[in-house]
Amino acid sequence: MKRFAGATLIALIPACSAPPAAENATEIAAEDIVSGSIFLTAETRDLQEDNFANPGYLWVDRGEALFSKAPASGEACITCHEAGLSGVAATYPAYDEKAGRVLNLEGRINQCRVTHQSEPAWEYESEELLSVTAFVANQSLGAPVSVDVSGPAQDIYEAGRDYFQTRRGQFNLSCQQCHTENWGKRLRGDTLSQGHGNGFPAYRLEWESLGSLHRRLRDCDLGVRAEPLPYGDPLYVAVELFLAARSNGLEMESPAVRR
Amino acid sequence: MTHNTRLDLNRRDLLALGTGTVLIAASPLSSHAEQADLDQARRELFGMRPVTEGRVTIKLPPIAENGYSVPLSVEVDSPMTKEDFVKRVAILSPRNPLPLISQFYFSPGSGRAKVDARIRMSGTQSIQAIAEMNDGSLWSGSRETVVTLAACVVL
Amino acid sequence: MASIRLAVPDAANVGEVIEIKALIRHPMESGHRRGARGEVIERDIITRFECRYLDELVFAADFHPGIAANPLLTFYVRASNSGTLDFTWTDQHGTAWSETSALTVT
């Protein structure tokens, strides 16, 4: 019976005092938008802010090395991007003329791999793609999320919003119900966040690893007992775009530390 | 489509989420140590020698949001000279699958008998640290952390 | 493959106690987890960390599965003479990863 003692105790911890969502809100008011890091314990927030001890930097380091190293058949990323990519990640996902679709940062990095380096695209969630994505995202640390959902990105944004607002899975819950309508409330030992992606790729304690936003979305879908989409699925890219637009103005935190 | 009726998470939803979790939680924790296992690990490390409470300060957060990586800090009050120093500190758990988490070895060259590490904790428990001095005396300290459960469990 | 991060001062006064932080990338697979098909995932952990200063062992640690993934240690060394600090992590199979740092003592 011992293992149930913890669960009982959690139920007794009083709900924390985060502001309640407005009645029937389908959007979070701009002044209430907050990063997931405010729902962490002080110790975990300290770990995120420690740019030595934050384990996400193990991937950032690796990404930096890969960024500077020439692949077999092309030039190193750094050859073109000598000045770095400060602020760039904060504008992704973005509509890409050449691809004719919305690309997230992973997709944009792979586009460079294929078109400029004549290398095969890295597999989604591979060590290499995660590391380079983390390295590029980290160069926008502190920059405000600023994605553009006008023009050809509009339809994709709306597809992402639809996914976010649709009930799914055996629990019949939409993303919206937890992360827009009930954020700040307690669910077992956790406080529901607003579901922003500004910290990704992020080091999740539960993963004991860095992971992409798509890995997080898959976990959310599995959490409500829904069939998750494959990594890199265009619909997840659409959700990513919707989430980014929803968090425009929040500071980029990758590699953030999350539960 | 899309604008669903608003939902307040109520008792029934929480129970629904909880049921799934309890079943899942049962498997990874199927083997865990008890106080008796901790006591046995302690005997294997230090025999039946007496342990005095004191000189060992453990820092752990009062609440950890999960048990995957909990910051632990242990410091032993010692001048750390050639004549008087801490030889080792054992970190013991009464609830993890294995009671011995780590042993740290010091020397006069350490200068300070303090170490910080990040540990796994499979549930709320009181972590114990036992320090062995160069004169053979044993000292101990302990600290409890409440480990909370995640909202969603993903297999 | 292993990534290591070290935070070590490069200079210190004689007798000064310096703080050292050492982080290494490693899953520290506990051997207590099960995979999607219920199979036990085999244990794969770093079991030993050593810090030598002027070839003398000054600090060491034995790791068991209760140490978190990507182990981070903060510990101390008393500066005596200029020389090298050697850091070595060894896993259960005997594979070792090392880093060295130079310390100037005045």
Side-chain angles (χ1 to χ4, degrees), chain B residues 16-78:
Chain B
L17 288 166
T19 314
T21 352
V22 166
L23 293 172
I24 294 157
S27 59
L29 299 181
S30 57
S31 69
H32 60 253
E34 304 280 349
Q35 186 61 41
D37 298 313
L38 187 154
D39 293 340
Q40 194 192 326
R42 181 166 145 170
R43 277 195 299 277
E44 282 167 14
L45 291 169
F46 302 108
M48 299 299 282
R49 289 147 61 192
V51 180
T52 312
E53 237 176 81
R55 291 183 69 176
V56 181
T57 306
I58 303 188
K59 283 187 187 162
L60 277 168
I63 293 178
E65 48 223 336
N66 55 42
Y68 289 96
S69 177
V70 186
L72 164 80
S73 180
V74 186
E75 179 153 25
V76 185
D77 181 19
S78 163

Side-chain angles (χ1 to χ4, degrees), chain A residues 212-229:
Chain A
S212 68
L213 185 62
H214 287 200
R215 182 172 178 189
R216 186 68 191 87
L217 295 177
R218 284 172 58 87
D219 277 7
C220 271
D221 276 338
L222 284 166
V224 298
R225 307 293 180 261
E227 187 80 37
L229 299 176

Side-chain angles (χ1 to χ4, degrees), chain A residues 55-65 131 134-135 138 210 254-255:
Chain A
Y57 281 97
L58 290 165
W59 281 259
V60 173
D61 288 350
R62 178 88 206 278
E64 184 174 15
S131 299
F135 172 63
N138 183 240
L210 196 82
S254 183

Side-chain angles (χ1 to χ4, degrees), chain C:
Chain C
M1 61 145 265
S3 303
I4 290 169
R5 302 194 111 209
L6 281 176
V8 196
D10 48 20
N13 297 317
V14 177
E16 188 183 340
V17 175
I18 58 168
E19 183 188 80
I20 294 172
K21 292 184 184 189
L23 173 64
I24 187 167
R25 171 100 184 265
H26 196 283
M28 293 296 285
E29 188 60 60
S30 67
H32 302 301
R33 298 199 309 160
R34 285 175 186 275
R37 291 165 195 276
E39 77 287 5
V40 173
I41 303 170
E42 261 186 63
R43 181 169 301 166
D44 176 14
I45 64 168
I46 287 173
T47 49
R48 179 83 174 169
F49 168 79
E50 292 186 348
C51 170
R52 286 169 200 278
Y53 174 40
L54 303 165
D55 295 324
E56 198 178 315
L57 188 66
V58 284
F59 175 82
D62 288 340
F63 290 168
H64 298 274
I67 290 290
N70 305 307
L72 168 69
L73 286 174
T74 305
F75 59 95
Y76 300 84
V77 171
R78 182 179 282 138
S80 54
N81 291 101
S82 293
T84 56
L85 287 151
D86 297 296
F87 308 92
T88 305
W89 291 260
T90 310
D91 75 5
Q92 64 190 56
H93 311 291
T95 306
W97 301 274
S98 295
E99 278 285 339
T100 302
S101 175
L103 181 70
T104 305
V105 179
T106 50

Side-chain angles (χ1 to χ4, degrees), chain B residues 2 5 13 21 32 47 76 80 84 105 110 112 120 146 154:
Chain B
T2 70
T5 47
D13 295 307
T21 352
H32 60 253
V76 185
M80 295 304 277
D84 183 359
Y105 303 88
S110 305
R112 187 176 179 189
R120 292 179 172 139
V146 172
V154 176

Side-chain angles (χ1 to χ4, degrees), chain A residues 100-181:
Chain A
R101 60 191 169 100
V102 170
L103 296 178
N104 63 2
L105 199 54
E106 285 88 345
R108 184 65 187 78
I109 289 166
N110 264 337
Q111 188 193 55
C112 255
R113 286 267 302 166
V114 174
T115 60
H116 299 311
Q117 297 182 318
S118 309
E119 289 286 325
W122 277 316
E123 198 179 317
Y124 217 98
E125 217 62 14
S126 64
E127 172 77 20
E128 291 83 0
L129 187 56
L130 265 181
S131 299
V132 174
T133 306
F135 172 63
V136 175
N138 183 240
Q139 292 179 59
S140 293
L141 185 69
V145 175
S146 39
V147 297
D148 179 6
V149 295
S150 63
Q154 174 92 38
D155 287 351
I156 308 302
Y157 167 82
E158 281 167 14
R161 189 186 56 198
D162 284 354
Y163 192 91
F164 190 84
Q165 295 178 340
T166 304
R167 284 172 174 259
R168 67 190 69 249
Q170 290 173 327
F171 289 165
N172 195 30
L173 284 167
S174 70
C175 314
Q176 162 107 351
Q177 288 175 300
C178 280
H179 298 291
T180 299
E181 296 169 9

Side-chain angles (χ1 to χ4, degrees), chain A:
Chain A
M1 284 312 289
K2 198 167 164 185
R3 69 179 63 99
F4 297 132
T8 315
L9 186 72
I10 303 317
L12 296 175
I13 294 173
C16 85
S17 56
E23 204 57 38
N24 296 318
T26 53
E27 282 179 21
I28 301 170
E31 65 271 22
D32 290 336
I33 297 275
V34 287
S35 171
S37 54
I38 77 148
F39 302 108
L40 302 172
T41 60
E43 292 79 15
T44 305
R45 210 158 44 232
D46 288 348
L47 182 63
Q48 173 172 318
E49 282 161 15
D50 182 336
N51 64 10
F52 174 82
N54 176 342
Y57 281 97
L58 290 165
W59 281 259
V60 173
D61 288 350
R62 178 88 206 278
E64 184 174 15
L66 286 164
F67 197 84
S68 314
K69 189 178 157 221
S73 51
E75 304 251 43
C77 311
I78 202 167
T79 313
C80 292
H81 304 291
E82 205 179 354
L85 291 164
S86 174
V88 171
T91 65
Y92 275 80
Y95 182 77
D96 186 275
E97 291 283 349
K98 203 188 299 178
R101 60 191 169 100
V102 170
L103 296 178
N104 63 2
L105 199 54
E106 285 88 345
R108 184 65 187 78
I109 289 166
N110 264 337
Q111 188 193 55
C112 255
R113 286 267 302 166
V114 174
T115 60
H116 299 311
Q117 297 182 318
S118 309
E119 289 286 325
W122 277 316
E123 198 179 317
Y124 217 98
E125 217 62 14
S126 64
E127 172 77 20
E128 291 83 0
L129 187 56
L130 265 181
S131 299
V132 174
T133 306
F135 172 63
V136 175
N138 183 240
Q139 292 179 59
S140 293
L141 185 69
V145 175
S146 39
V147 297
D148 179 6
V149 295
S150 63
Q154 174 92 38
D155 287 351
I156 308 302
Y157 167 82
E158 281 167 14
R161 189 186 56 198
D162 284 354
Y163 192 91
F164 190 84
Q165 295 178 340
T166 304
R167 284 172 174 259
R168 67 190 69 249
Q170 290 173 327
F171 289 165
N172 195 30
L173 284 167
S174 70
C175 314
Q176 162 107 351
Q177 288 175 300
C178 280
H179 298 291
T180 299
E181 296 169 9
N182 285 287
W183 68 270
K185 291 185 187 166
R186 283 279 193 185
L187 187 57
R188 302 217 303 164
D190 277 354
T191 305
L192 290 169
S193 77
Q194 296 178 350
H196 300 301
N198 59 315
F200 285 80
Y203 187 90
R204 278 194 80 211
L205 300 177
E206 195 180 302
W207 294 337
E208 303 188 309
S209 170
L210 196 82
S212 68
L213 185 62
H214 287 200
R215 182 172 178 189
R216 186 68 191 87
L217 295 177
R218 284 172 58 87
D219 277 7
C220 271
D221 276 338
L222 284 166
V224 298
R225 307 293 180 261
E227 187 80 37
L229 299 176
Y231 283 107
D233 192 281
L235 196 43
Y236 270 169
V237 175
V239 175
E240 197 174 345
L241 178 67
F242 168 72
L243 289 177
R246 183 172 167 267
S247 69
N248 264 341
L250 264 190
E251 285 186 10
M252 296 279 285
E253 293 179 13
S254 183
V257 177
R258 294 290 183 261
R259 296 182 186 113

